[in-house]
Protein backbone atom coordinates (compact mmCIF):
# COMPACT_ATOMS: atom_id res chain seq x y z
CA UNK A 1 0.00 0.00 0.00
CA UNK A 2 1.42 3.36 -0.93
CA UNK A 3 1.49 6.52 1.12
CA UNK A 4 -1.05 8.23 -1.17
CA UNK A 5 -3.75 5.64 -0.54
CA UNK A 6 -3.51 5.78 3.24
CA UNK A 7 -6.27 7.78 4.89
CA UNK A 8 -5.43 9.79 7.93
CA UNK A 9 -7.56 9.20 10.97
CA UNK A 10 -7.74 12.98 11.40
CA UNK A 11 -8.41 15.50 8.68
CA UNK A 12 -9.21 19.18 8.94
CA UNK A 13 -11.07 21.15 6.33
CA UNK A 14 -12.18 24.74 6.59
CA UNK A 15 -15.61 25.35 5.15
CA UNK A 16 -15.85 29.16 4.94
CA UNK A 17 -19.68 29.46 4.63
CA UNK A 18 -20.22 27.18 7.62
CA UNK A 19 -17.58 29.03 9.64
CA UNK A 20 -19.13 32.41 8.78
CA UNK A 21 -22.59 31.10 9.63
CA UNK A 22 -21.30 29.89 12.99
CA UNK A 23 -19.68 33.25 13.76
CA UNK A 24 -22.85 35.13 12.78
CA UNK A 25 -24.97 32.82 14.94
CA UNK A 26 -22.63 33.36 17.90
CA UNK A 27 -22.83 37.14 17.41
CA UNK A 28 -26.63 37.09 17.36
CA UNK A 29 -26.75 34.86 20.43
CA UNK A 30 -24.38 37.15 22.33
CA UNK A 31 -26.17 40.34 21.33
CA UNK A 32 -29.52 38.78 22.26
CA UNK A 33 -28.12 37.78 25.64
CA UNK A 34 -26.79 41.31 26.27
CA UNK A 35 -30.14 42.85 25.32
CA UNK A 36 -32.00 40.43 27.58
CA UNK A 37 -29.71 41.20 30.51
CA UNK A 38 -30.17 44.97 29.99
CA UNK A 39 -33.94 44.52 29.90
CA UNK A 40 -33.83 42.40 33.06
CA UNK A 41 -31.84 45.10 34.86
CA UNK A 42 -34.28 47.81 33.73
CA UNK A 43 -37.26 45.71 34.81
CA UNK A 44 -35.67 45.01 38.19
CA UNK A 45 -34.98 48.71 38.75
CA UNK A 46 -38.54 49.58 37.75
CA UNK A 47 -39.99 46.96 40.10
CA UNK A 48 -37.85 48.24 42.95
CA UNK A 49 -39.01 51.80 42.29
CA UNK A 50 -42.67 50.82 42.29
CA UNK A 51 -42.23 48.65 45.37
CA UNK A 52 -40.91 51.69 47.24
CA UNK A 53 -43.78 53.83 45.94
CA UNK A 54 -46.30 51.20 46.99
CA UNK A 55 -44.75 50.90 50.45
CA UNK A 56 -44.93 54.68 50.86
CA UNK A 57 -48.53 54.78 49.66
CA UNK A 58 -49.54 52.05 52.11
CA UNK A 59 -47.71 53.73 54.99
CA UNK A 60 -49.26 57.16 54.27
CA UNK A 61 -52.89 55.99 54.06
CA UNK A 62 -54.22 54.90 57.48
CA UNK A 63 -57.14 52.86 56.06
CA UNK A 64 -54.97 50.98 53.62
CA UNK A 65 -52.31 50.42 56.28
CA UNK A 66 -54.94 48.98 58.65
CA UNK A 67 -56.21 46.62 55.92
CA UNK A 68 -52.65 45.66 54.98
CA UNK A 69 -51.76 44.80 58.60
CA UNK A 70 -54.97 42.75 58.98
CA UNK A 71 -54.17 40.84 55.79
CA UNK A 72 -50.61 40.20 56.96
CA UNK A 73 -51.91 38.82 60.27
CA UNK A 74 -54.25 36.49 58.38
CA UNK A 75 -51.37 35.28 56.23
CA UNK A 76 -49.19 34.72 59.30
CA UNK A 77 -51.94 32.73 61.02
CA UNK A 78 -52.36 30.50 57.99
CA UNK A 79 -48.65 29.63 57.84
CA UNK A 80 -47.26 26.37 59.14
CA UNK A 81 -44.64 26.46 61.93
CA UNK A 82 -41.92 25.59 59.41
CA UNK A 83 -42.98 28.46 57.13
CA UNK A 84 -43.00 30.86 60.08
CA UNK A 85 -39.50 29.74 61.05
CA UNK A 86 -38.21 30.22 57.50
CA UNK A 87 -39.82 33.67 57.28
CA UNK A 88 -38.25 34.62 60.61
CA UNK A 89 -34.82 33.50 59.38
CA UNK A 90 -35.27 35.47 56.16
CA UNK A 91 -36.23 38.62 58.06
CA UNK A 92 -33.21 38.21 60.34
CA UNK A 93 -30.92 37.96 57.32
CA UNK A 94 -32.51 41.03 55.72
CA UNK A 95 -32.15 43.04 58.93
CA UNK A 96 -28.52 41.96 59.28
CA UNK A 97 -27.79 43.00 55.68
CA UNK A 98 -29.67 46.27 56.11
CA UNK A 99 -27.71 47.28 59.20
CA UNK A 100 -24.30 46.83 57.55
Amino acid sequence: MSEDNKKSWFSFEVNIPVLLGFVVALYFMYSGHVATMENAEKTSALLSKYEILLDNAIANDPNVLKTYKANMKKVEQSMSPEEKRLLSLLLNVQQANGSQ
Side-chain angles (χ1 to χ4, degrees), residues 18-87:
V18 171
L19 183 62
L20 286 176
F22 182 71
V23 169
V24 169
L26 283 177
Y27 170 76
F28 283 129
M29 288 170 43
Y30 177 75
S31 63
H33 170 71
V34 169
T36 300
M37 293 306 294
E38 288 174 358
N39 287 337
E41 288 174 9
K42 289 178 186 177
T43 302
S44 178
L46 190 63
L47 288 173
S48 296
K49 174 186 168 186
Y50 285 117
E51 181 179 332
I52 292 169
L53 287 173
L54 180 62
D55 289 345
N56 289 335
I58 290 171
N60 292 330
D61 188 346
N63 293 331
V64 174
L65 182 58
K66 181 181 173 185
T67 305
Y68 179 78
K69 286 181 178 181
N71 288 339
M72 291 305 292
K73 285 181 184 177
K74 288 178 187 176
V75 168
E76 183 182 2
Q77 291 170 355
S78 70
M79 295 173 88
S80 70
E82 181 68 16
E83 290 171 329
K84 287 181 184 179
R85 189 180 70 78
L86 289 173
L87 181 60

